[in-house]
Amino acid sequence: MPAPVRSRPPRAFIVALWLMAALILLPLGAGLEARLDTDAHVRHGQAERAAALIEREFDTVLADPIILVIEGLNPAHGPAEAGALSGLSERLRGAASGVRTLSHLDGADPLFIGADGDSTLLLVDLPGSGAAHAAELGALQQAAARYMAETESSFALHWTSEALVNHEMREISARDATLAEMRVLPLALLVLLIAFGSV
């Protein structure tokens, strides 16, 4: 008894099916990098609970500050360097609404002075979160750069914070995802073409 002959769907139908699937799925994958969720800390951990408690119980910039490390400046050395720090702090407070600062000028705490004796910390409290926070942080950095240029200051500024690290990690992840797609997809198509021997 001859084996039953199975009918195969025409190639045009299969190609059309794949094209339809691609047209449906491509818009969903186009915004992949915008959906990336990258954080530099463990969510719901002890550090997060402590920061929330400090923010709730105390009106302080210490809950989640932006840390500005200023190299080449020690406000304890004299009025000139203290004045430079005061001017920079004032400029930052005027760069965005609701900005507060905390430094050696607010209590002469030696913890604000670096172990090298030639650097200091300036803590900045910036309201908001997400994209708005990142935009205001950019305004702070521009204001600081303008102050440096206007006063011809030679000290170096180094910014860091959890929000800044998270923002930069998301930007790097998005850039890497886009680059990976551009490199991997053509290679995958080539491998499939070699493996199956036809389009």
Side-chain angles (χ1 to χ4, degrees), residues 29-33 174-187:
L32 173 63
E33 60 275 4
R175 188 166 61 246
D176 288 349
T178 302
L179 188 61
E181 290 171 356
M182 293 175 63
R183 289 178 176 176
V184 171
L185 286 178
L187 182 61

Coordinates of all heavy atoms in Angstrom, one line a residue, residues 29-33 174-187:
G29 N 9.4 45.3 19.5 CA 10.8 45.2 19.9 C 11.6 46.5 19.7 O 12.7 46.7 20.2
A30 N 11.0 47.5 19.0 CA 11.7 48.7 18.7 C 12.0 49.5 19.9 O 13.0 50.2 20.0 CB 10.8 49.6 17.7
G31 N 11.1 49.5 20.9 CA 11.4 50.3 22.1 C 11.9 49.5 23.3 O 11.7 49.8 24.5
L32 N 12.7 48.4 23.0 CA 13.2 47.5 24.0 C 14.1 48.3 25.0 O 13.9 48.1 26.2 CB 14.0 46.4 23.4 CG 14.7 45.5 24.3 CD1 13.7 44.7 25.3 CD2 15.6 44.5 23.6
E33 N 15.0 49.1 24.5 CA 15.9 49.8 25.4 C 15.2 50.7 26.3 O 15.7 51.0 27.5 CB 17.0 50.5 24.6 CG 16.4 51.6 23.7 CD 16.0 51.1 22.3 OE1 16.0 49.9 22.1 OE2 15.6 51.9 21.5
A174 N 21.0 50.5 27.1 CA 20.2 50.7 25.9 C 21.1 50.8 24.6 O 20.8 50.2 23.6 CB 19.5 52.0 26.0
R175 N 22.3 51.4 24.8 CA 23.2 51.5 23.7 C 23.8 50.1 23.3 O 23.9 49.8 22.1 CB 24.4 52.5 24.0 CG 25.3 52.8 22.9 CD 26.2 53.9 23.2 NE 27.1 53.7 24.4 CZ 27.0 54.4 25.5 NH1 26.0 55.3 25.7 NH2 27.8 54.1 26.5
D176 N 24.1 49.3 24.3 CA 24.6 48.0 24.0 C 23.5 47.1 23.4 O 23.8 46.3 22.5 CB 25.1 47.3 25.3 CG 26.4 47.9 25.8 OD1 27.0 48.7 25.1 OD2 26.8 47.7 27.0
A177 N 22.3 47.2 23.8 CA 21.2 46.4 23.3 C 21.0 46.8 21.8 O 20.8 45.9 20.9 CB 19.9 46.7 24.0
T178 N 21.0 48.1 21.5 CA 20.9 48.5 20.1 C 22.0 48.0 19.2 O 21.8 47.5 18.1 CB 20.8 50.0 20.0 OG1 19.7 50.5 20.8 CG2 20.6 50.5 18.5
L179 N 23.3 48.1 19.8 CA 24.5 47.6 19.0 C 24.4 46.1 18.8 O 24.7 45.6 17.7 CB 25.7 48.0 19.8 CG 27.1 47.8 19.1 CD1 27.1 48.6 17.8 CD2 28.2 48.1 20.0
A180 N 23.9 45.4 19.8 CA 23.8 43.9 19.7 C 22.8 43.5 18.6 O 23.1 42.6 17.9 CB 23.4 43.3 21.1
E181 N 21.7 44.2 18.6 CA 20.7 43.9 17.6 C 21.3 44.2 16.2 O 21.0 43.3 15.3 CB 19.5 44.8 17.8 CG 18.7 44.4 19.0 CD 17.6 45.5 19.3 OE1 17.5 46.5 18.6 OE2 16.8 45.3 20.3
M182 N 22.0 45.2 16.0 CA 22.6 45.6 14.7 C 23.6 44.5 14.2 O 23.7 44.2 13.0 CB 23.2 47.0 14.7 CG 22.2 48.1 14.9 SD 23.0 49.7 15.1 CE 23.8 49.9 13.5
R183 N 24.3 43.9 15.2 CA 25.4 43.0 14.8 C 24.8 41.6 14.7 O 25.2 40.8 13.8 CB 26.5 43.0 15.9 CG 27.3 44.3 15.9 CD 28.3 44.2 17.0 NE 29.2 45.4 16.9 CZ 30.2 45.7 17.8 NH1 30.4 44.8 18.8 NH2 30.9 46.7 17.7
V184 N 23.9 41.2 15.6 CA 23.5 39.8 15.7 C 22.4 39.4 14.7 O 22.5 38.3 14.1 CB 22.9 39.5 17.1 CG1 22.3 38.1 17.2 CG2 24.1 39.6 18.2
L185 N 21.5 40.3 14.4 CA 20.4 40.0 13.4 C 21.0 39.6 12.0 O 20.6 38.6 11.5 CB 19.4 41.1 13.4 CG 18.5 41.3 14.6 CD1 17.6 42.4 14.4 CD2 17.7 40.0 14.8
P186 N 21.8 40.4 11.4 CA 22.4 40.0 10.1 C 23.1 38.6 10.2 O 23.0 37.8 9.3 CB 23.3 41.1 9.7 CG 22.8 42.3 10.5 CD 22.3 41.7 11.8
L187 N 23.9 38.4 11.3 CA 24.6 37.2 11.4 C 23.7 36.0 11.6 O 23.9 34.9 11.0 CB 25.5 37.3 12.6 CG 26.4 36.0 12.9 CD1 27.3 35.8 11.7 CD2 27.2 36.2 14.2

